[in-house]
Amino acid sequence: MTLLEELRQVAVEQNQDAELPDSLLSEILTLVERPGVLAYEAELKKLIGQLRNFDLYAGAGCFSESCGIREITETIQQIAP
């Protein structure tokens, strides 16, 4: 599985299972289709990790390692300013 296939798969799974917003899923699916996006390999890997740890209510607990919409959005913006 390629990096982009993994990103797509994780995003779709989190949308279905963890309530990742449809708008964020759409941004990610558009992102993986952009020419030259593989130049951002480190950021793509970071985004996959964030998606795997996505929690709609991230930040509500004191020592949560989960990622929320804000962190994921910031990473997307680093890849596609």
Side-chain angles (χ1 to χ4, degrees):
M1 175 180 307
T2 70
L3 186 63
L4 296 179
E5 290 170 342
E6 182 179 3
L7 176 57
R8 184 181 296 113
Q9 179 182 342
V10 171
V12 170
E13 287 173 0
Q14 292 299 72
N15 176 256
Q16 293 171 349
D17 300 339
E19 300 181 43
L20 181 74
D22 291 341
S23 59
L24 208 48
L25 174 63
S26 178
E27 283 185 59
I28 293 167
L29 295 178
T30 300
L31 181 71
V32 299
E33 299 299 325
R34 290 187 66 181
V37 73
L38 285 174
Y40 296 91
E41 182 177 350
E43 291 85 354
L44 293 169
K45 288 180 180 179
K46 177 181 176 182
L47 182 57
I48 290 169
Q50 290 174 326
L51 287 168
R52 289 192 190 282
N53 293 314
F54 173 72
D55 181 353
L56 187 59
Y57 304 104
C62 293
F63 298 103
S64 175
E65 291 185 18
S66 57
C67 290
I69 293 171
R70 187 183 78 227
E71 292 90 355
I72 292 171
T73 300
E74 289 172 357
T75 302
I76 291 171
Q77 289 173 348
Q78 290 174 356
I79 299 168

